[in-house]
Amino acid sequence: MNIMSLQKIAIAFGGPPVLNDVTFSVEKGDRACITGRNGEGKSTLLKIMAGILEPDHGESATAPNLRIAYLSQDVPGDRQ
């Protein structure tokens, strides 16, 4: 059973796409790891999954009552 599904996700920030035609699903009980070089879209993908960003194209769907938590990698301004 899919608990999350991304279909043909694309997003750009004024330049070339950061993510283009990304499709995958997460099944109940899955464990996943996202790896890649700096600037390749890992944080952007996680923000889309958490509902913080909306993709330019594509669809995301989550199971009812699914709770998603996101821990920002940015240090809060008052902690710098």
Side-chain angles (χ1 to χ4, degrees):
M1 175 176 106
N2 283 346
I3 59 171
M4 173 173 280
S5 173
L6 299 178
Q7 299 294 320
K8 299 188 181 228
I9 297 293
I11 190 167
F13 299 103
V18 176
L19 301 173
N20 190 22
D21 202 28
V22 174
T23 297
F24 73 93
S25 62
V26 179
E27 302 281 333
K28 185 175 181 179
D30 280 354
R31 292 180 184 217
C33 177
I34 300 172
T35 64
R37 293 183 176 167
N38 291 346
E40 290 190 342
K42 299 176 302 291
S43 295
T44 300
L45 177 63
L46 291 171
K47 287 177 184 177
I48 290 172
M49 292 172 69
I52 296 167
L53 285 177
E54 288 290 324
D56 296 333
H57 300 284
E59 297 180 16
S60 64
T62 58
N65 300 317
L66 179 68
R67 189 175 78 184
I68 299 173
Y70 176 83
L71 178 62
S72 176
Q73 65 184 355
D74 298 323
V75 177
D78 63 341
R79 301 285 186 194
Q80 295 179 353

